[in-house]
Amino acid sequence: MKIKLICLTVLLISGCQTKYENSLASAKKTISEFDGSTTINSRISQSWSKSGWMSAGVGFNGFATKGNFHSMVAEVTFINSITNLSKLYLNIDGVFTEYEPVSTHTKVTYGPATKIPMSTRGFVIPVLTVVKIKEAKYVRYRVTTLSDGSREGELVRDGKLSPAAKSLINVAEAIK
C-alpha cells in the first residue's frame, strides 16, 4: 500500500511539474499601442546542462516580431554568472551551425528573489532551425564567452524536448 501511495505521489508531482514547465514555455503576444506591431516572447526556461539549473545552468527563451517569418531571436541566459556571451553553436542530429549575437551587449540582471546574477544575450536564428529542433532526435548546444570559456548542454535528448526547446518552438509557431 505504501509503495502504491509513493508511486501515485511521484506521478502526480511529475505531471504537475510538466504542466508548470509547459506554462512557462508558452508564447505571449503583445501588441504595441504605438504602431500596432505584434511581438512574441516566451519566458526563460531551463535547458539540460551538467552543471544543473541554479548553480550554473543555461536558460533559453524566444523573441520575435509577428510577420518576420524567417528569423527570430534565441535569448540565452547564463545563471549565476556575469560574463559576456559571444557565440551560440547548435548540433542538431550531427549538423553543426554557428550563430552570431544581435548587436546589443550582454545584459546582466539579478534574480528578483534570489539576487543571483544572470547574463543574457540574444542570437538571431532562422525559424527553420527551430522547426528542425522540434523534429530532432538530439540537439546539443555550446555557448562561448569572451572570458569564461563556454557552457554546454542539451535542448533535445532522445527526442524529448527540454523546457528551453519548448520555449523556442512556441515562439516560432506563434510567428505564423
Side-chain angles (χ1 to χ4, degrees), residues 70-150:
H70 304 293
S71 62
M72 60 182 274
V73 175
E75 290 186 324
V76 180
T77 300
F78 277 20
I79 308 297
N80 205 11
S81 178
I82 298 175
T83 190
N84 195 356
L85 283 62
S86 176
K87 291 192 179 182
L88 169 65
Y89 299 89
L90 294 178
N91 173 353
I92 303 173
D93 291 333
V95 177
F96 296 87
T97 52
E98 175 184 329
Y99 301 97
E100 297 291 328
V102 294
S103 60
T104 60
H105 299 288
T106 299
K107 176 176 64 175
V108 175
T109 58
Y110 294 88
T114 60
K115 303 300 181 201
I116 294 174
M118 298 184 290
S119 299
T120 303
R121 192 160 193 192
F123 297 87
V124 177
I125 61 173
V127 172
L128 186 57
T129 297
V130 180
V131 172
K132 291 177 184 176
I133 289 172
K134 182 178 180 181
E135 299 168 354
K137 184 174 180 179
Y138 70 86
V139 178
R140 296 181 181 105
Y141 66 84
R142 175 186 294 150
V143 181
T144 58
T145 70
L146 295 178
S147 58
D148 298 344
S150 65

Side-chain angles (χ1 to χ4, degrees), residues 23-88:
S23 71
L24 287 180
S26 65
K28 178 183 174 186
K29 294 180 184 180
T30 306
I31 299 174
S32 168
E33 291 181 12
F34 175 71
D35 63 359
S37 63
T38 301
T39 56
I40 305 159
N41 61 12
S42 59
R43 292 177 54 178
I44 181 174
S45 297
Q46 69 185 19
S47 66
W48 294 315
S49 62
K50 294 177 184 174
S51 55
W53 172 236
M54 291 308 290
S55 61
V58 179
F60 285 76
N61 67 291
F63 176 82
T65 303
K66 191 169 179 83
N68 182 0
F69 300 106
H70 304 293
S71 62
M72 60 182 274
V73 175
E75 290 186 324
V76 180
T77 300
F78 277 20
I79 308 297
N80 205 11
S81 178
I82 298 175
T83 190
N84 195 356
L85 283 62
S86 176
K87 291 192 179 182
L88 169 65

